[in-house]
C-alpha cells in the first residue's frame, strides 16, 4: 500500500511545471488565436476532403478510361463525351415537359417514386402488423412462417403476370409488385425484433395491465424498432430494384419504361443517364430510411 | 382480523418436455398490512418463482394466493413489482417511464396536472426529480433502481414486491437504497415483500424473514420475527445483540442446516 502512495506523491509535482508552461505559451500567442480558428476550419475542410476526394478521383479515372476505351468511331457503347453531347438536356434539366411522353427524368423518377411510396408504404404497415403477429404467436409462426419462407424467394417480376391478370391495369400491378417485394424482409425482421423483446418489458406491461393496443404501440414497436428499420431499409432497396423492372413491362411514364423506350429507339446515352438517376435516387432512399431509423431508435439500443 | 395477503398451500411445478419439476411445495404464509417481509434462500430455491406467483406473472399449480380474501391469478398494478434489473424502458425518459405507469393506473381518476404532480412526487420520494429528462442509459445502476421503485410506488400498490432489487448494485449504493426503502416504508406504511440473498439486508429491513429450504420442492423452512425497533440505524445495529442474534439465526439456517451442496 505504501508504494503507490509514494508514487502519487512523486507524480503530482511533475505535471505542475508543464501546466504552468502551457498557459505561458498561450498568453504569448494571443494574436494567433484567429489562426487557430482558421486551422479548425481548415481541419474540417480536410475532413470533408478526405471523404469526397477519393471517390471523385476514382470517378475521374473511371470516366477517363471509359472515354479512352470508347472514343473510337463504331464503339458499341457511347463515351462520356458523346453522352454529354447527346443527352445534355436530360442531365441539365430534369423537370422539362414537352409533351405527354416527353418529360424530364426528374419527373419520371417522381412518378416511379410515387408508386414505390404507395407500394412500400402498404408493405411497411402490413409487414409490421404481420411480423408482430408472427413474432408474438407461436401458432402464427408455425402456420405462416413456412409460407413466407417459400413466397419470399419468388423473384419480383414473377408476380407481375398474376397481378396484371388480377388488377387488369398496369399501375396497381406495378404497385403490387413493389408491395410483394418489400414486405418479406419487413415481416421477417419485425418478427425477430418482437421475439427479442426482453421478458422484463413484457412483465412490466403485464403488471400495468396494458391492453393489446397499448402493448403494441408502447412496448412492441419501440422495442423492436431497430429490427423493424433494418427490414424497412432492405425493403426500400428491393422496391427500388423491382420498380424499374416492373415499369419496363407495364409502360407508362416511370423511369423504368423510359429505359425500355430508349433501348427500343437505340438511345444508349439516355439509358446511361437514366441509370445514374436511378442509382442516385436509390442511394438517397436508403440513406433516408437509415436516417429516420437513427432518429427513431436513438434511445432504444442501450439498456 | 383476517390476513391481508394469504398464501394458501401453494404448490408450483413446471412441465417441460414431459418432465415435471416441482419447484415449490406446500407454501403457506400470511402477511399483515404494512408488514415488511423478506424471503431468503439459496439461489435456485424458487424464491423468485414465489414472488412471480404473488405478482400473478406465473400461475400456481395448486393452492391459492389471496389478497384481501380475493384470489390473485393475473398481474396487476395493485401488486407492483420492482424488478431485479430495473426493467426501465430505454426509449423513455425517467419521467416518461413513471408516466407510463401513472397514466395507465390513474387514467380517468386523476386530471393531467394531478398526474404530473403525482409523478414528480414519486420521483422526489426517491430523490430522482433532478434526472427526470434523462434516459435510463444516462444514469447509474442505483439511480435506475430508484426510478424502478418510483414507478412501482406510483401505482399506489397494496403490496410492493421487490425482486432482489439491490442485487446488481455495489455495496455502498446498496446501503443507500436500503436506507431509502426503509424511509419510504416508514412514511407510506406499505406492505412490502422482498426477495434477497443478503442476510444483513434481510435483518436490517424486515419485520419477518421467511427462510426457504433448497429446491427442488422447496418449502418454508423457518420464519424469523425481527423485533428490532424502528427507525433502524445500520451503525447502531452493528453491536445490537438482537440484531446479532437474528443474523446468526439466519446464517445458521442457510449454512448449517440447509447448506447448498452444489454451490461450492
Amino acid at each position: 500500500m505504501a508504494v503507490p502512495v509514494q508514487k502519487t506523491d512523486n507524480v503530482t509535482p511533475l505535471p505542475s511545471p508543464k501546466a504552468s508552461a502551457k498557459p505561458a505559451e498561450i498568453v504569448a500567442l494571443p494574436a494567433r488565436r484567429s489562426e487557430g480558428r482558421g486551422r479548425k476550419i481548415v481541419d474540417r475542410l480536410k475532413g470533408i476532403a478526405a471523404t469526397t476526394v477519393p471517390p471523385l478521383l476514382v470517378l475521374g479515372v473511371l470516366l477517363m478510361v471509359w472515354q479512352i476505351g470508347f472514343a473510337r468511331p463504331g464503339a458499341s457503347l457511347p463515351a462520356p463525351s458523346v453522352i454529354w453531347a447527346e443527352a445534355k438536356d436530360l442531365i441539365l434539366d430534369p423537370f422539362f415537359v414537352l409533351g405527354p411522353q416527353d418529360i424530364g427524368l426528374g419527373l419520371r423518377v417522381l412518378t416511379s417514386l410515387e408508386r414505390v411510396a404507395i407500394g412500400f408504404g402498404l408493405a411497411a404497415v402490413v409487414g409490421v402488423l404481420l411480423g408482430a403477429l408472427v413474432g408474438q404467436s407461436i401458432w402464427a409462426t408455425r402456420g405462416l412462417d413456412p409460407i413466407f419462407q417459400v413466397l419470399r424467394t419468388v423473384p419480383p417480376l414473377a408476380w407481375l403476370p398474376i397481378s396484371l391478370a388480377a388488377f387488369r391495369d398496369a399501375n396497381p400491378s406495378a404497385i403490387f409488385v413493389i408491395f410483394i417485394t418489400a414486405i418479406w424482409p419487413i415481416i421477417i425482421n419485425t418478427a425477430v425484433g418482437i421475439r427479442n423483446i426482453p421478458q422484463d418489458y413484457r412483465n412490466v406491461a403485464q403488471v400495468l395491465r396494458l391492453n393489446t393496443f397499448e402493448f403494441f404501440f408502447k412496448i412492441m414497436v419501440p422495442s423492436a424498432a431497430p429490427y423493424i428499420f433494418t427490414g424497412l431499409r432492405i425493403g426500400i432497396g428491393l422496391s427500388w430494384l423491382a420498380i424499374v423492372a416492373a415499369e419496363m413491362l407495364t409502360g407508362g411514364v416511370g423511369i423504368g419504361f423510359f429505359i425500355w423506350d430508349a433501348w427500343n429507339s437505340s438511345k444508349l446515352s439516355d439509358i446511361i443517364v437514366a441509370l445514374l438517376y436511378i442509382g442516385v435516387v436509390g442511394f438517397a432512399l436508403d440513406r433516408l430510411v437509415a436516417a429516420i431509423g437513427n432518429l427513431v431508435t436513438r434511445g432504444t439500443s442501450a439498456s | 382480523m383476517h390476513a391481508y395477503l394469504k398464501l394458501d398451500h401453494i404448490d408450483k411445478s413446471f412441465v417441460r418436455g414431459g418432465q415435471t419439476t416441482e419447484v415449490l411445495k406446500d407454501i403457506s404464509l400470511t402477511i399483515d398490512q404494512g408488514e415488511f417481509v423478506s424471503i431468503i434462500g439459496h439461489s435456485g430455491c424458487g424464491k423468485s418463482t414465489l414472488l412471480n406467483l404473488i405478482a400473478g406473472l406465473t400461475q400456481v399449480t395448486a393452492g391459492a394466493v389471496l389478497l384481501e380474501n380475493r384470489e390473485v391469478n393475473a398481474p396487476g398494478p395493485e401488486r407492483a413489482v420492482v424488478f431485479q434489473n430495473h426493467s426501465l424502458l430505454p426509449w423513455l425518459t425517467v419521467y416518461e417511464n413513471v408516466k407510463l405507469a401513472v397514466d395507465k393506473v390513474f387514467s380517468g381518476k386523476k386530471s393531467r396536472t394531478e398526474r404530473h404532480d403525482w409523478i414528480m412526487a414519486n420521483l422526489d420520494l426517491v430523490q430522482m426529480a433532478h434526472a427526470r429528462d434523462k434516459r435510463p442509459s444516462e444514469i447509474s445502476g442505483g439511480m435506475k433502481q430508484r426510478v424502478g421503485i418510483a414507478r412501482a410506488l406510483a401505482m399506489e400498490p397494496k403490496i410492493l414486491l421487490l425482486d432482489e432489487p439491490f442485487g446488481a448494485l455495489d455495496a455502498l449504493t446498496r446501503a443507500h437504497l436500503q436506507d431509502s426503502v426503509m424511509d419510504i416504508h416508514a412514511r407510506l406504511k406499505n406492505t412490502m415483500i422482498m426477495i434477497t440473498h443478503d442476510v444483513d439486508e434481510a435483518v436490517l429491513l424486515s419485520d419477518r424473514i421467511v427462510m426457504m429450504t433448497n429446491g427442488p420442492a422447496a418449502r418454508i423452512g423457518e420464519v424469523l420475527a425481527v423485533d428490532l425497533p424502528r427507525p433502524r440505524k445500520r451503525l447502531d445495529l452493528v453491536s445490537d445483540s438482537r440484531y446479532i442474534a437474528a443474523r446468526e439465526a439466519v446464517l445458521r439456517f442457510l449454512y448449517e442446516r440447509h447448506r447448498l451442496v452444489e454451490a461450492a
Side-chain angles (χ1 to χ4, degrees):
Chain A
M1 278 306 282
V3 178
V5 173
Q6 272 187 337
K7 266 188 184 168
T8 47
D9 280 351
N10 286 341
V11 170
T12 32
L14 272 177
S16 52
K18 272 188 187 171
S20 60
K22 266 182 192 167
E25 266 174 49
I26 293 167
V27 172
L29 304 170
R32 290 189 193 172
R33 265 189 190 167
S34 57
E35 268 192 20
R37 267 181 215 160
R39 259 181 217 159
K40 264 184 192 168
I41 294 169
V42 169
D43 283 347
R44 196 169 292 171
L45 284 177
K46 270 184 189 167
I48 295 170
T51 53
T52 52
V53 169
L56 286 178
L57 264 179
V58 172
L59 189 67
V61 171
L62 281 178
L63 283 175
M64 228 155 68
V65 171
W66 184 1
Q67 179 69 31
I68 294 165
F70 291 91
R72 68 200 153 76
S76 56
L77 292 176
S81 59
V82 179
I83 295 172
W84 179 255
E86 285 181 355
K88 205 164 85 180
D89 53 335
L90 284 179
I91 300 170
L92 293 181
D93 186 3
F95 296 105
F96 66 83
V97 179
L98 295 175
Q101 272 301 320
D102 194 4
I103 58 174
L105 284 181
L107 291 173
R108 288 181 188 276
V109 164
L110 281 180
T111 51
S112 297
L113 274 178
E114 191 190 326
R115 290 183 181 133
V116 167
I118 299 172
F120 177 74
L122 284 173
V125 173
V126 177
V128 169
L129 289 175
L130 270 178
L133 180 69
V134 170
Q136 187 70 356
S137 147
I138 186 79
W139 284 105
T141 310
R142 284 177 191 164
L144 291 170
D145 195 59
I147 297 170
F148 290 165
Q149 296 297 341
V150 170
L151 288 183
R152 81 185 171 93
T153 62
V154 175
L157 280 191
W159 291 100
L160 193 61
I162 282 194
S163 59
L164 276 173
F167 293 107
R168 294 167 194 281
D169 190 11
N171 201 36
S173 306
I175 289 171
F176 175 76
V177 169
I178 298 303
F179 170 82
I180 206 79
T181 308
I183 197 169
W184 309 116
I186 301 174
I187 292 177
I188 291 166
N189 279 284
T190 304
V192 171
I194 301 290
R195 262 180 229 130
N196 280 334
I197 295 176
Q199 187 59 41
D200 298 333
Y201 301 171
R202 293 179 185 276
N203 286 345
V204 170
Q206 277 189 290
V207 169
L208 285 175
R209 291 209 183 115
L210 297 184
N211 58 39
T212 313
F213 190 71
E214 291 165 327
F215 182 63
F216 181 77
F217 282 106
K218 293 190 170 163
I219 309 283
M220 266 186 170
V221 170
S223 179
Y227 293 88
I228 294 175
F229 272 95
T230 305
L232 291 177
R233 208 172 154 188
I234 300 171
I236 193 89
L238 290 180
S239 315
W240 196 235
L241 291 182
I243 184 70
V244 173
E247 282 177 347
M248 278 187 175
L249 299 179
T250 56
V253 286
I255 188 84
F257 182 68
F258 174 83
I259 292 178
W260 191 242
D261 197 37
W263 163 246
N264 281 331
S265 34
S266 313
K267 290 185 201 157
L268 288 179
S269 302
D270 288 8
I271 295 179
I272 290 168
V273 174
L275 291 187
L276 267 179
Y277 267 90
I278 291 169
V280 170
V281 172
F283 177 75
L285 283 178
D286 181 64
R287 285 303 150 104
L288 180 72
V289 174
I292 295 173
N294 279 338
L295 203 72
V296 172
T297 60
R298 223 175 352 165
T300 333
S301 46
S303 61
Chain B
M1 201 185 113
H2 62 77
Y4 192 59
L5 178 79
K6 186 169 185 187
L7 310 182
D8 195 5
H9 300 282
I10 291 174
D11 293 347
K12 176 65 189 173
S13 49
F14 289 108
V15 182
R16 178 168 283 176
Q19 263 201 326
T20 308
T21 320
E22 271 199 312
V23 182
L24 297 171
K25 184 79 188 157
D26 200 27
I27 304 280
S28 288
L29 184 68
T30 55
I31 292 170
D32 292 333
Q33 192 163 10
E35 205 176 4
F36 195 118
V37 175
S38 287
I39 299 170
I40 197 167
H42 291 290
S43 67
C45 73
K47 53 192 193 291
S48 280
T49 307
L50 183 56
L51 192 90
N52 282 342
L53 291 174
I54 301 171
L57 290 166
T58 41
Q59 303 297 316
V60 293
T61 309
V65 179
L66 299 162
L67 178 60
E68 290 185 313
N69 272 341
R70 285 212 194 138
E71 184 169 4
V72 164
N73 45 24
E78 80 280 0
R79 281 159 287 123
V81 185
V82 178
F83 296 96
Q84 182 172 7
N85 46 359
H86 66 78
S87 296
L88 298 179
L89 303 175
W91 56 88
L92 299 179
T93 62
V94 163
Y95 179 86
E96 289 165 338
N97 263 290
V98 182
K99 185 175 188 288
L100 180 71
V102 170
D103 281 355
K104 180 63 188 169
V105 176
F106 295 104
S107 67
K109 290 178 212 153
K110 283 185 196 259
S111 74
R112 185 181 284 266
T113 44
E114 279 172 335
R115 288 196 301 239
H116 169 79
D117 293 344
W118 179 238
I119 295 165
M120 291 314 292
N122 280 284
L123 284 175
D124 270 329
L125 194 66
V126 296
Q127 294 142 40
M128 282 303 295
H130 62 92
R132 51 176 283 190
D133 293 325
K134 291 222 164 81
R135 286 178 199 276
S137 56
E138 298 166 329
I139 58 178
S140 71
M143 288 170 144
K144 284 179 204 166
Q145 205 49 279
R146 284 177 189 276
V147 179
I149 293 170
R151 177 175 63 183
L153 286 172
M155 301 175 203
E156 243 175 18
K158 290 178 176 164
I159 294 188
L160 188 65
L161 303 168
L162 304 124
D163 186 5
E164 295 190 31
F166 317 126
L169 304 175
D170 65 89
L172 290 176
T173 313
R174 190 186 303 179
H176 241 47
L177 277 175
Q178 286 165 351
D179 291 342
S180 293
V181 167
M182 273 198 287
D183 183 45
I184 289 165
H185 183 237
R187 270 205 260 173
L188 305 181
K189 310 264 185 284
N190 304 48
T191 310
M192 296 196 185
I193 301 176
M194 180 176 71
I195 303 293
T196 184
H197 50 235
D198 182 329
V199 177
D200 290 295
E201 179 172 285
V203 177
L204 178 67
L205 296 179
S206 315
D207 298 315
R208 278 191 298 157
I209 302 174
V210 175
M211 292 172 258
M212 306 272 295
T213 66
N214 292 326
R219 291 169 293 103
I220 292 178
E222 233 172 85
V223 179
L224 177 78
V226 184
D227 55 349
L228 288 163
R230 292 179 187 272
R232 298 172 183 172
K233 294 243 167 13
R234 76 176 60 240
L235 283 178
D236 300 346
L237 289 179
V238 171
S239 49
D240 191 304
S241 59
R242 285 166 298 180
Y243 177 84
I244 295 169
R247 200 169 169 274
E248 190 186 343
V250 180
L251 283 171
R252 281 201 188 286
F253 177 90
L254 288 176
Y255 297 105
E256 228 171 59
R257 274 168 289 158
H258 296 278
R259 223 176 124 218
L260 190 62
V261 187
E262 304 97 89

